[in-house]
Amino acid sequence: QVQLVESGGGLVQAGGSLRLSCAASGATFSSYTMAWFRQGPGKEREFVAAITWSGHTYYTDSGKGRFTISRDNAKKMVYLQMNSLKPEDTAVYYCAAGPSSSRLYYAYSYWGQGTQVTVSS
C-alpha cells in the first residue's frame, strides 16, 4: 500500500514556475515508478511525467524542456518542477505510483487527491 499526498499547486502567471511535491508513505515506495498526471477542465486525465525507481525519466512532448520530475527515495518524495508555465497547463495535477513505467493512467495503482495549478495569461 502506498498513500500519496500532493502539495505545491497554486495560481501563477504565464511564464512563471511552480514546484509540486508528492509525499508518499509505504514501505515499498522505492520500488515503484512514480508519475504525474493532470486533468484540465473538460479534459481526460493525461500523462505528464514519470520516473522509475532507478531514475529514468519520461515526459509528455508538451513538458519536455519545461518540466523536470525527480524523486528522493530516502525522503519518499517526488517532485515536479514546472517552468515557463502556460495557460494550457492549468489542471489538477495528480501524483501516482505503479509497478512499471507507463504513460497510461490505468497502469498506476495508487493516486493522490490532486493539487490545482492555475496559470493566468
Side-chain angles (χ1 to χ4, degrees), residues 40-120:
K43 298 182 180 180
E44 294 186 352
R45 191 167 299 191
E46 64 174 353
F47 173 80
V48 176
I51 183 167
T52 67
W53 65 272
S54 60
H56 291 288
T57 57
Y58 306 85
Y59 297 95
T60 185
D61 287 344
S62 65
K64 286 180 181 177
R66 298 191 301 127
F67 296 173
T68 302
I69 189 171
S70 60
R71 67 189 294 165
D72 185 331
N73 287 336
K75 295 182 178 179
K76 296 184 179 180
M77 295 291 296
V78 180
Y79 307 98
L80 184 69
Q81 177 67 44
M82 304 187 293
N83 299 326
S84 302
L85 283 163
K86 306 174 182 180
E88 52 264 43
D89 294 318
T90 295
V92 177
Y93 283 70
Y94 297 91
C95 178
S100 61
S101 58
S102 174
R103 297 172 184 261
L104 303 174
Y105 73 89
Y106 51 78
Y108 292 85
S109 307
Y110 305 102
W111 293 84
Q113 82 289 349
T115 186
Q116 177 70 46
V117 171
T118 302
V119 184
S120 63

